[in-house]
Amino acid sequence: QVRLVESGGGLAQPGGSLRLSCQATGFPFNSFAMSWARKAPGKGLEWLTGIRADGTGIITKDSVKGRFTISRDNAKNTVYLQMNNLKTEDTAIYYCAKGRANAVVADQSDYDYWGQGTQVTVSS
């Protein structure tokens, strides 16, 4: 069955960096778009960025553009989120999601599987 497992979260200081990973199994990873989203305390799910199956077509939300970068390694069935210049408002649970097709869309309904999430806390 489809499984997405995030890792790499933790505590970072403002201005610091973290790289999240999402290991995927149970489906042809190189055929589907993947995305990252987050849920901050007291807020709804926020889609952040997505990438097509071949690594092209990256779309990133303006609020994190220039700081967050998505990438993927199809040989390892893994999608990454590099987060730089972290801010306290980046504190959230971060989720990776599998697209229903090979298209990057900033809409939760276009993703059919989600990981369990990894906690990122940005604090001094």
Side-chain angles (χ1 to χ4, degrees), residues 5 17 30 92 113-114 118:
V5 180
S17 298
N30 59 2
Y113 289 93
W114 297 76
T118 185

Side-chain angles (χ1 to χ4, degrees), residues 21-37:
S21 300
C22 172
Q23 176 74 52
T25 56
F27 66 99
F29 183 75
N30 59 2
S31 296
F32 292 89
M34 298 292 294
S35 281
W36 286 94

Side-chain angles (χ1 to χ4, degrees), residues 57-103:
I58 291 174
I59 299 175
T60 302
K61 189 173 183 179
D62 285 347
S63 59
V64 299
K65 193 175 293 183
R67 299 191 300 119
F68 289 11
T69 303
I70 190 172
S71 62
R72 64 192 293 162
D73 184 339
N74 286 347
K76 296 182 179 180
N77 283 10
T78 301
V79 60
Y80 303 98
L81 183 65
Q82 177 67 44
M83 305 187 294
N84 298 328
N85 191 21
L86 284 164
K87 304 176 181 181
T88 55
E89 54 263 41
D90 294 320
T91 295
I93 300 174
Y94 285 71
Y95 301 90
C96 68
K98 170 190 167 293
R100 294 183 186 276
N102 189 23

